[in-house]
Amino acid sequence: MADTLPKNAPPNPRQLRLDTLVRLRWLAVAGQASAVAGVRFGLGFPLPFELCFLVIAASVWTNLLLRIQYPASHRLSDNAATALLGFDILQLAALLYLTGGLENPFAMLFLAPVLISATALTPERTLGLGLLAVGCATVLVLAHRPLPWFPGQDLSLPFLYVSGIWTAILLGTVFTGIYAWRVAEEARQLAQALAATELVLAREQHLSQLDGLAAAAAHELGTPLATIALVSKELAHALPKDGSVGEDLKLLQEQVQRCRSILTKLTSMGEEDDEGFLETVTLSHLVEEIVEPQRTVGYDVRMNAWGEGPEPVGRRNPGVVYGLSNILDNATDFADSHVVIEACWTPHEVSIEIRDDGPGYAPDILLRVGEPYVTTRSASERTEANLDEGGGLGLGLFIAKTLIERSGAEITLTNAAPPGTGAIARIVWPRHAFEQGAAISPQGDFHESLKDEGKNSHMEFGPS
């Protein structure tokens, strides 16, 4: 993952579609034309009607030229979008100049282009457009034509009131811009994080489809392999068994037999007994499967598994395996000396707890940890980290949390209570949710004996 999404991610979500700005400008043109015509013909107020419609016509011609030049699906660059929004601010300023300046109640429409910029452009460009809008409002305080009013009457608002309108535009530009940018940025980050999650799920789905591909390959290879076996057998009878030719034929028959054995294993993967073994897993075996890769690279990972009654058996979920592995990877990265992973169960729930002896989560991010783009790594660590699949960007823990919660679990991330240190990740499933879809129990007889005796099972695993 480069900055936020992989190379095959959708286009930059910040880029505005040309059709969006064109439609909004048509809406503004209709509103401006209706307001000018209503004041002139409805209320009978005098105003420079021709000049006003000339300014409105500038927006009309701009829209027509854009429609002719570009397709509706065209996405604007940041420079083009900034220029078009700047044009809208200047066009509105020219229309307000002809109709009373800031005394015109429509002066608050200066906020519209800034709001659009805040939702689609960078903060720097939004700041520039905001300064342009405030600058135009400042000029209109000092220079403008009279506000259209009843003939023979001159309506002149106090300068203090006009200054209040200018202040409202300034504050509205600042607060509206910041608020809109923040909301839009969170929506963009969430959409990108969910897109990354979908990519992970797609990869896991491809892995789960390999068994079907293996069975298909075994079926397709069966016929040509049988032909090779038949021909090699006939050649063995026809040619002398001594010499290099006989040795080659013997080797060929051995390899054919080996291929047959491999294909037999592949085709037997779909049978009931093997399917149960491959598709279902006990809680302790699930945890051991996650822990084993960490031990092979030298981490001290200690595992405990215990519970009341028979051990739960669930269907192997690639998303859960990925999520738990990600959390364990995070724990080993920050642990000082060791990590403890504890699996336990009761008749009603199944839980896995991962604890490390590292510094734990910082207080300022503890309440937000697990959200997209909230990371516990420093800037230098993020630079050195492997950014593949969101490493160092806070996406890894978000993806893990999302995948685990999809399985029906509830995940809690906390710090150890003093005087202890380290982070704690606790994942809890309702037992029926963990066991949902489990066809068989590989240790069913053992579980039944535990149920009959009413004893608790207890297993401990140390580092290998």
Side-chain angles (χ1 to χ4, degrees):
M1 186 172 292
D3 289 327
T4 52
L5 284 176
K7 294 180 180 179
N8 58 346
N12 182 0
R14 285 186 179 276
Q15 290 185 326
L16 272 171
R17 290 176 65 243
L18 176 63
D19 186 62
T20 301
L21 280 186
V22 169
R23 288 177 181 271
L24 290 175
R25 188 176 288 112
W26 281 128
L27 182 62
V29 166
Q32 292 171 357
S34 299
V36 171
V39 170
R40 176 66 179 84
F41 300 107
L43 299 176
F45 293 169
L47 80 163
F49 183 77
E50 294 79 6
L51 289 178
C52 288
F53 265 88
L54 185 62
V55 172
I56 296 173
S59 289
V60 174
W61 280 110
T62 301
N63 264 7
L64 293 176
L65 289 175
L66 290 174
R67 281 295 194 191
I68 295 173
Q69 186 70 23
Y70 301 101
S73 60
H74 177 72
R75 288 191 176 271
L76 298 169
S77 66
D78 285 354
N79 290 336
T82 303
L84 289 176
L85 291 173
F87 168 80
D88 291 337
I89 293 175
L90 295 175
Q91 189 263 356
L92 177 62
L95 194 60
L96 290 174
Y97 170 80
L98 298 173
T99 56
L102 294 193
E103 296 177 2
N104 191 321
F106 292 104
M108 295 304 295
L109 291 177
F110 273 128
L111 301 180
V114 179
L115 178 62
I116 296 173
S117 174
T119 59
L121 299 178
T122 61
E124 294 78 12
R125 295 179 182 274
T126 301
L127 176 62
L129 291 172
L131 292 176
L132 177 62
V134 173
C136 291
T138 303
V139 172
L140 291 175
V141 172
L142 305 175
H144 59 83
R145 291 198 176 189
L147 180 70
W149 200 243
F150 293 104
Q153 300 182 22
D154 183 19
L155 177 64
S156 179
L157 299 178
F159 182 78
L160 182 61
Y161 180 81
V162 177
S163 299
I165 296 177
W166 180 89
T167 304
I169 293 175
L170 172 63
L171 296 179
T173 300
V174 173
F175 288 107
T176 303
I178 293 175
Y179 177 81
W181 174 82
R182 183 61 184 170
V183 172
E185 187 67 15
E186 288 184 358
R188 275 191 293 266
Q189 290 180 351
L190 183 60
Q192 292 170 359
L194 290 175
T197 303
E198 293 299 329
L199 288 176
V200 172
L201 291 175
R203 295 190 186 104
E204 297 297 336
Q205 185 178 10
H206 291 328
L207 291 177
S208 66
Q209 291 172 346
L210 287 179
D211 57 347
L213 294 176
H219 176 74
E220 295 294 330
L221 291 174
T223 300
L225 187 61
T227 304
I228 295 173
L230 178 61
V231 172
S232 63
K233 186 176 181 180
E234 292 178 351
L235 289 175
H237 285 93
L239 298 175
K241 297 183 179 180
D242 298 331
S244 59
V245 176
E247 294 177 356
D248 290 342
L249 286 175
K250 183 179 179 181
L251 177 61
L252 179 61
Q253 289 176 340
E254 291 176 352
Q255 295 303 312
V256 168
Q257 187 61 36
R258 183 181 177 187
C259 289
R260 281 182 169 177
S261 299
I262 295 174
L263 293 181
T264 301
K265 292 180 181 179
L266 290 177
T267 54
S268 65
M269 290 175 65
E271 297 177 1
E272 182 178 354
D273 293 341
D274 289 336
E275 182 180 358
F277 174 73
L278 292 173
E279 296 295 334
T280 60
V281 62
T282 60
L283 178 62
S284 58
H285 282 90
L286 172 64
V287 176
E288 184 65 28
E289 178 181 333
I290 297 164
V291 170
E292 186 60 28
Q294 300 294 338
R295 291 177 178 159
T296 58
V297 295
Y299 288 110
D300 183 7
V301 181
R302 305 170 185 175
M303 173 185 163
N304 298 322
W306 59 275
E308 177 185 349
E311 183 179 0
V313 179
R315 185 169 293 276
R316 180 178 278 105
N317 185 329
V320 172
V321 173
Y322 178 90
L324 293 175
S325 299
N326 195 295
I327 294 175
L328 184 59
D329 289 342
N330 194 64
T332 55
D333 286 343
F334 288 93
D336 289 336
S337 60
H338 67 273
V339 175
V340 176
I341 178 168
E342 185 175 90
C344 60
W345 61 90
T346 69
H348 305 291
E349 70 177 25
V350 177
S351 65
I352 296 176
E353 187 171 284
I354 302 175
R355 304 189 299 270
D356 64 71
D357 60 347
Y361 301 113
D364 58 329
I365 68 169
L366 183 58
L367 295 178
R368 299 191 301 128
V369 67
E371 296 180 5
Y373 300 96
V374 176
T375 177
T376 57
R377 301 181 188 273
S378 63
S380 60
E381 289 173 330
R382 290 196 299 271
T383 302
E384 297 172 359
N386 178 10
L387 295 182
D388 220 10
E389 297 185 5
L393 296 174
L395 278 181
L397 196 55
F398 166 77
I399 293 173
K401 186 172 182 289
T402 302
L403 292 174
I404 292 173
E405 288 178 344
R406 281 188 176 184
S407 68
E410 180 180 351
I411 180 170
T412 305
L413 303 171
T414 60
N415 285 333
T421 60
I424 300 176
R426 181 173 172 81
I427 302 99
V428 180
W429 288 269
R431 182 153 180 154
H432 66 85
F434 183 85
E435 295 180 331
Q436 185 176 8
I440 65 170
S441 169
Q443 300 176 349
D445 296 337
F446 176 63
H447 293 164
E448 289 299 325
S449 65
L450 287 177
K451 184 185 297 184
D452 295 338
E453 296 175 8
K455 297 181 180 179
N456 294 341
S457 60
H458 184 275
M459 292 166 283
E460 293 187 357
F461 303 82
S464 57

